[in-house]
């Protein structure tokens, strides 16, 4: 979702009466993005919920209250349960309600996008998706590849191992090459456990789709289980929130 659309939505929501009463109010649902950070404890309970500072105070309070009620599957590493932070984004649909006013219905909760600079361009480090080989596109070659990437104590990518498919078909080789080229350029975060940087293997799926991302992304847990030094699993939201009100 473009940042300008999100910010425009936030400005409107910062003035609920005007949003509800002005003739210029949208007649169709509008999607907005609500970013937040939180610390997920070993019990899966969010703490220190910090909404995006660009949100109006009223919206910040709504996000803080709602997220505090959620429960997560805590992060794990080599059989241990860990407290880990999350940075996520709520995509919500703004709906006008009978009698004036508005409501927000959660569509999904996903990872937070990269920060934006003052001129509206992406800032910070970004993991650029792989280049889709032109010949593969022409031939309609699609597929999902799963890799194990060794990340050192400084956050640099090292050895890249293909986990799936176990046997790479000839037609998939250009996709494999494109995926490896992209991964080699990615800036990984330093992985810490108990405040100490560790070396581990990150499990990464790479999807090549001609139309749009497919919903059937693989479950990465079995791949992680095969690795004795898999990087800590991130906290996962357990509370069903899609189609509920914020």
């Amino acid at each position: 979702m473009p940042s300008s659309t999100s910010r425009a939505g936030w400005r409107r929501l910062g003035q609920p009466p005007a949003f509800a009463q002005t003739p210029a109010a949208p007649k169709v649902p509008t999607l907005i993005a609500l970013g937040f950070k939180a610390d997920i404890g070993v019990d899966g309970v969010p703490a220190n919920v910090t909404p995006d500072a660009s949100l109006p105070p009223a919206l910040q309070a709504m996000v803080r209250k709602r997220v505090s009620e959620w429960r997560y599957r805590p992060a794990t590493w080599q059989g241990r349960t860990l407290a880990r932070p999350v940075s996520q984004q709520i995509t919500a649909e703004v709906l006008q309600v009978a009698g004036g006013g508005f409501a927000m219905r959660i569509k999904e909760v996903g990872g937070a996008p990269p920060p934006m600079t003052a001129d509206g361009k992406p800032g910070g480090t970004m993991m650029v998706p792989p280049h889709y080989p032109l010949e593969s596109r022409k031939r309609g070659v699609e597929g999902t590849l799963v890799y194990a990437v060794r990340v050192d104590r400084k956050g640099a990518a090292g050895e890249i191992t293909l986990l799936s498919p176990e046997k790479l078909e000839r037609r998939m080789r250009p996709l494999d090459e494109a995926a490896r080229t992209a991964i080699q350029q990615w800036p990984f975060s330093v992985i810490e456990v108990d405040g100490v940087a560790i070396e581990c293997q990150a499990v990464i799926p790479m999807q090549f789709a001609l139309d749009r991302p497919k919903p059937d992304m693989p479950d990465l847990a079995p791949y992680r289980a095969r690795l004795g030094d898999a990087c800590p699993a991130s906290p996962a939201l357990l509370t069903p929130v899609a189609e509920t009100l914020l």
Side-chain angles (χ1 to χ4, degrees), residues 51-72:
D52 191 320
S54 66
L55 296 175
L59 262 183
Q60 290 191 41
M62 292 174 66
V63 171
R64 189 177 298 109
K65 180 179 184 301
R66 190 76 165 91
V67 173
S68 296
E69 298 171 348
W70 295 350
R71 293 298 177 264
Y72 285 74

Side-chain angles (χ1 to χ4, degrees), residues 96-101:
Q96 290 179 276
V97 297

Side-chain angles (χ1 to χ4, degrees), residues 13-245:
L13 289 172
Q15 304 171 351
F19 180 83
Q21 298 172 11
T22 175
K27 297 181 180 180
V28 296
T30 301
L31 293 178
I32 64 171
L34 311 170
F36 70 89
K37 296 180 180 180
D39 295 325
I40 309 302
V42 295
D43 56 359
V45 177
N48 303 320
V49 180
T50 306
D52 191 320
S54 66
L55 296 175
L59 262 183
Q60 290 191 41
M62 292 174 66
V63 171
R64 189 177 298 109
K65 180 179 184 301
R66 190 76 165 91
V67 173
S68 296
E69 298 171 348
W70 295 350
R71 293 298 177 264
Y72 285 74
R73 181 175 65 242
T76 57
W77 183 69
Q78 296 186 344
R80 295 174 52 194
T81 301
L82 305 175
R84 304 284 291 184
V86 295
S87 180
Q88 296 187 299
Q89 176 177 281
I90 302 169
T91 300
E93 186 178 35
V94 183
L95 305 170
Q96 290 179 276
V97 297
F102 65 94
M104 285 180 289
R105 181 166 58 202
I106 298 173
K107 303 304 293 182
E108 64 177 3
V109 177
M116 305 296 287
T117 61
D119 57 358
K121 298 179 180 179
T125 57
M126 297 181 64
M127 292 185 171
V128 180
H131 171 71
Y132 206 139
L134 180 58
E135 191 62 27
S136 297
R137 293 178 61 91
K138 289 181 178 179
R139 295 182 178 182
V141 180
E142 298 181 290
T144 299
L145 305 168
V146 181
Y147 296 89
V149 182
R150 185 165 296 282
V151 181
D152 68 18
R153 290 179 174 83
K154 295 183 179 180
E159 180 183 7
I160 302 173
T161 304
L162 179 65
L163 299 179
S164 178
E166 295 184 359
K167 183 177 180 181
L168 191 65
E169 298 179 15
R170 183 175 181 178
R171 67 187 184 91
M172 296 290 287
R173 290 175 184 172
L175 303 186
D176 176 55
E177 293 176 3
R180 290 174 182 272
T181 298
I183 292 173
Q184 289 170 350
Q185 301 176 48
W186 283 2
F188 287 85
S189 299
V190 174
I191 308 298
E192 294 186 352
V193 173
D194 298 331
V196 178
I198 64 170
E199 180 176 305
C200 57
Q201 292 193 79
V203 179
I204 299 175
M206 289 289 233
Q207 186 183 80
F208 292 84
L210 292 173
D211 183 13
R212 63 188 63 180
K214 311 297 183 185
D216 55 344
M217 290 295 283
D219 178 10
L220 301 183
Y223 300 106
R224 292 176 47 80
R226 290 162 48 184
L227 304 174
D229 59 347
C231 295
S234 300
L237 181 60
L238 295 177
T239 303
V241 298
E243 302 303 323
T244 64
L245 296 180

